[in-house]
């Protein structure tokens, strides 16, 4: 069995059911949830391009793409947005890392067989339950994304370094 197949099986058996219990739809590597306003939360497993069939590295991406942001993004690019919202379209984007990852380090899960895949996916589910799902749910709540922008934290992007971007995002969400 390849590392890719071991991860796919573990995600189907453990992360998929956990995501569906929270209202997410989809299958490995991406699950999505929307609210009545048309905002989207995305959970995505990204594999490293340097992975081999014997050894795979992966990380957990989170994103929230509010409907006004998607609409503005589409208008700005002069195109229709895709039917399925991807993690890359999120206004809020960040990664979850393995539990033992030191602060400030970008840790990736390492998969080589079914056992390491099961352990990695179990840790992914725990990281999602502790931090990921509550964060995404908070931003899917009414005015939740606007509050997140006003807090100055959009995951990778912080207000302290991108004041104009945050003003732009707040204006887009305040309509």
């Amino acid at each position: 069995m390849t590392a890719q197949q071991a991860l796919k099986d573990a995600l189907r058996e453990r992360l998929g059911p956990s995501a569906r219990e929270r209202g997410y739809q989809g299958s490995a590597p991406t699950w999505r949830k929307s609210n009545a306003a048309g905002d989207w939360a995305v959970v995505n497993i990204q594999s490293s391009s340097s992975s081999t069939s014997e050894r795979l590295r992966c990380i957990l991406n989170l994103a929230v793409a509010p409907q006004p942001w998607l609409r503005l993004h589409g208008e700005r690019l002069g195109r229709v947005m895709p039917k399925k919202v991807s993690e890359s379209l999120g206004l809020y984007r960040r990664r979850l890392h393995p539990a033992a990852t030191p602060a400030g380090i970008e840790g990736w899960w390492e998969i080589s067989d079914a056992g390491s895949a099961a352990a990695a996916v179990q840790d992914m589910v725990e990281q999602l339950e502790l931090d990921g799902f509550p964060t995404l749910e908070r931003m899917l709540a009414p005015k939740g994304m606007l509050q997140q922008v006003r807090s100055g934290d959009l995951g990778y992007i912080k207000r302290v370094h991108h004041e104009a971007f945050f003003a732009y995002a707040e204006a887009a969400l305040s309509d």
Side-chain angles (χ1 to χ4, degrees):
M1 173 184 293
T2 67
Q4 289 80 2
Q5 187 61 51
L7 177 60
K8 184 177 179 181
D9 292 349
L11 290 170
R12 184 184 62 247
E13 292 169 14
R14 183 69 177 98
L15 199 150
S18 177
R20 280 188 284 286
E21 284 176 13
R22 294 207 172 241
Y24 287 77
Q25 298 178 347
S27 59
T30 305
W31 295 266
R32 297 172 185 85
K33 181 178 182 176
S34 65
N35 63 16
D39 305 329
W40 288 89
V42 181
V43 174
N44 170 262
I45 308 298
Q46 176 187 338
S47 295
S48 170
S49 60
S50 65
S51 295
T52 66
S53 62
E54 294 85 28
R55 183 175 158 271
L56 177 142
R57 295 177 65 234
C58 61
I59 199 157
L60 190 53
N61 296 313
L62 305 177
V64 176
Q67 195 279 332
W69 181 255
L70 291 171
R71 184 179 62 246
L72 185 62
H73 193 68
E75 290 171 2
R76 193 178 59 144
L77 295 175
R79 62 183 168 105
V80 175
M81 297 307 291
K83 291 183 188 225
K84 290 189 177 183
V85 174
S86 67
E87 176 268 337
S88 65
L89 293 175
L91 173 57
Y92 175 91
R93 296 175 63 203
R94 78 177 173 104
R95 290 178 164 166
L96 295 181
H97 306 283
T101 304
I105 302 295
E106 183 155 288
W108 290 57
W109 283 276
E110 304 231 359
I111 313 293
S112 58
D113 57 21
S116 61
V121 171
Q122 180 60 37
D123 188 39
M124 289 177 196
V125 170
E126 290 171 8
Q127 298 304 315
L128 282 165
E129 294 292 333
L130 289 171
D131 183 18
F133 288 137
T135 298
L136 297 172
E137 291 300 316
R138 188 178 69 250
M139 284 184 268
L140 284 181
K143 303 287 183 192
M145 190 69 224
L146 183 57
Q147 290 170 352
Q148 189 69 32
V149 168
R150 289 177 175 161
S151 79
D153 180 5
L154 289 174
Y156 301 144
I157 304 172
K158 308 295 186 213
R159 180 188 308 266
V160 68
H161 304 293
H162 302 280
E163 193 67 43
F165 181 82
F166 276 79
Y168 179 73
E170 186 170 347
L173 298 176
S174 295
D175 289 340

